[in-house]
Amino acid sequence: MSPNSDSILSQELSRRTALKALFGAASAAVLFGLPARAHAAEASKETTDKLNAAQAQLDEVQAQLDSIANEYAALANKNAQTLNDIENVQGKIDGTQAQIDEKKAELKKKRNDLSDRVAASYKSGGTNILSLLLASGSFEELVANAHYVEKINKSDRDAIEDIQTIQAELDAQKTELEAQKADLEKLKDQQTAQMQDMQAKQQEVQTVLNGLSDDVKELMAQRDSEILAAAQAEEAARKAAAAAAAANKNNSYSGGSSSGGGSYAPGTPQQNAGSGKQQAVVNACYSTPSPGQNWCAAWVTNVFRNAGVGYFGGNACDMFNAWCYSSDRSALQVGMIVADSSHSGTGAPGLIYGHVGIYVGGGIVMSNEGAITSKSLDSFISFYGTGSGVRWGWLGGIALS
């Protein structure tokens, strides 16, 4: 909220407080949506008409912004599926490579065995097979022995050919998987570019919406000022009439006010977070205040800057797309950011920008939700993973462990 908006809001609250002091809650019905009494003080028709027109335009632009947010959310969900597909294909590539390595080792062993047998035969004068043939007592026995030697050689050849065939098939399979991954990476880049374009469009609409919102607030302030002035005139007339009718009666109004507040009492920083940098990030999570509602990425940026790790800008979905690569819980480490690029739980801001927090260990994720909150990883995923899904990784690609 801008300083000007704060000023308008302060003035508006002051006017409403004045109205309540003059007449109590019943007389201020025009401002607070309660049934209006007869002859209640009203603003001018011109101001009312302008306010209604501005509010209608504001609602129209808000609907446009909501439509963009829904389109972005749908695209973010597709992008999340693409990331899952890439992760799955990479797993298949790794598995296929392991099989290829296994077959290569098997082929190498088979060839070494053959080489050893040939070498042994040569060292013994090459008489093993010849002696077998010369030892034949008849032609029939010679034929049988020759067939036996051929069977041994053919068995070795067949084994080597089988291994080579399997290896070739695995190589082809790996090539196909790598082509699939390349296509998916290309699709991911296209989707990311589309989301960035939609973000730019959203920012344009948001700027228009902010301007309209300010217009509405100013018109509301003008309306309330007119209502207050009319109400004050009515009250002055009422008091004058009452004084004339009953000079001994004193009409007074007494009202009370109450104030309340809350403060965020952070918990004790996690101990044994790992490396010094991890501990510094965790400590900074507990000491860095909220920069305000809808500024989750700004809080993360401030935490890492306060921890001395570095400065990393961007919004939550920027951080998600650039640095959050895994959904494997075994890979989650203290100090990693945990984010999504789109979710439905917090309206248009969540659909467009997603949310980001920091894992502080013990199954806890801290984030800025207007106030700094600590949620279990399961709760965080359950709420923010409803759209694009939740992933994690090292911010800026800097491993703290």
Side-chain angles (χ1 to χ4, degrees), residues 150-199:
E150 182 184 357
K151 289 282 285 185
I152 295 175
N153 292 335
K154 185 176 185 306
S155 175
D156 288 333
R157 289 196 304 272
D158 288 346
I160 291 175
E161 288 174 0
D162 287 345
I163 295 172
Q164 289 174 328
T165 299
I166 294 172
Q167 182 180 336
E169 292 173 352
L170 289 172
D171 285 335
Q173 182 179 339
K174 181 185 176 185
T175 299
E176 182 180 351
L177 288 170
E178 287 175 338
Q180 289 180 20
K181 183 183 178 185
D183 290 340
L184 288 169
E185 292 282 2
K186 183 178 179 180
L187 176 61
K188 182 196 75 171
D189 292 341
Q190 291 173 347
Q191 291 170 338
T192 300
Q194 287 176 322
M195 288 191 289
Q196 290 172 344
D197 290 341
M198 292 185 72
Q199 282 182 351

Side-chain angles (χ1 to χ4, degrees), residues 1-42:
M1 186 178 290
S2 66
N4 183 48
S5 299
D6 288 339
S7 175
I8 292 172
L9 180 59
S10 176
Q11 293 170 12
E12 183 179 339
L13 290 174
S14 297
R15 282 189 292 273
R16 294 187 180 190
T17 302
L19 277 172
K20 291 179 75 177
L22 280 169
F23 303 111
S27 298
V30 123
L31 291 181
F32 295 94
L34 299 177
R37 66 177 185 175
H39 308 299
E42 296 179 352

Side-chain angles (χ1 to χ4, degrees), residues 113-252:
D113 290 344
L114 276 176
S115 177
D116 290 343
R117 284 211 299 272
V118 170
S121 175
Y122 177 78
K123 289 177 181 178
S124 64
T127 60
N128 291 343
I129 296 176
L130 182 60
S131 298
L132 179 64
L133 296 178
L134 292 177
S136 303
S138 64
F139 179 75
E140 290 77 9
E141 189 177 351
L142 174 64
V143 172
N145 288 340
H147 178 69
Y148 173 71
V149 171
E150 182 184 357
K151 289 282 285 185
I152 295 175
N153 292 335
K154 185 176 185 306
S155 175
D156 288 333
R157 289 196 304 272
D158 288 346
I160 291 175
E161 288 174 0
D162 287 345
I163 295 172
Q164 289 174 328
T165 299
I166 294 172
Q167 182 180 336
E169 292 173 352
L170 289 172
D171 285 335
Q173 182 179 339
K174 181 185 176 185
T175 299
E176 182 180 351
L177 288 170
E178 287 175 338
Q180 289 180 20
K181 183 183 178 185
D183 290 340
L184 288 169
E185 292 282 2
K186 183 178 179 180
L187 176 61
K188 182 196 75 171
D189 292 341
Q190 291 173 347
Q191 291 170 338
T192 300
Q194 287 176 322
M195 288 191 289
Q196 290 172 344
D197 290 341
M198 292 185 72
Q199 282 182 351
K201 183 178 179 182
Q202 185 272 343
Q203 289 172 355
E204 293 176 3
V205 176
Q206 185 68 58
T207 300
V208 175
L209 185 67
N210 291 341
L212 289 171
S213 181
D214 289 340
D215 291 344
V216 169
K217 288 176 182 177
E218 290 175 3
L219 286 168
M220 288 178 68
Q222 181 178 340
R223 177 201 64 184
D224 289 354
S225 293
E226 292 176 4
I227 291 174
L228 178 58
Q232 287 172 332
E234 285 184 8
E235 179 66 2
R238 185 188 69 77
K239 285 185 176 180
N248 295 328
K249 290 185 179 180
N250 215 354
N251 226 1
S252 65

Side-chain angles (χ1 to χ4, degrees), residues 232-352:
Q232 287 172 332
E234 285 184 8
E235 179 66 2
R238 185 188 69 77
K239 285 185 176 180
N248 295 328
K249 290 185 179 180
N250 215 354
N251 226 1
S252 65
Y253 174 81
S254 62
S257 64
S258 62
S259 64
S263 62
Y264 169 69
T268 302
Q270 297 283 332
Q271 300 299 319
N272 301 321
S275 73
K277 289 184 178 179
Q278 287 174 292
Q279 186 65 60
V281 168
V282 171
N283 291 343
C285 284
Y286 287 92
S287 62
T288 302
S290 167
Q293 185 75 31
N294 297 327
W295 292 96
C296 58
W299 178 76
V300 169
T301 295
N302 291 341
V303 166
F304 276 79
R305 181 169 52 192
N306 293 341
V309 177
Y311 175 84
F312 308 95
N315 53 45
C317 60
D318 291 334
M319 292 179 177
F320 174 89
N321 290 326
W323 310 115
C324 295
Y325 53 86
S326 177
S327 58
D328 181 3
R329 294 195 183 212
S330 66
L332 180 60
Q333 297 188 52
V334 172
M336 281 186 170
I337 58 170
V338 182
D340 71 286
S341 65
S342 177
H343 63 269
S344 58
T346 56
L351 290 171
I352 291 287

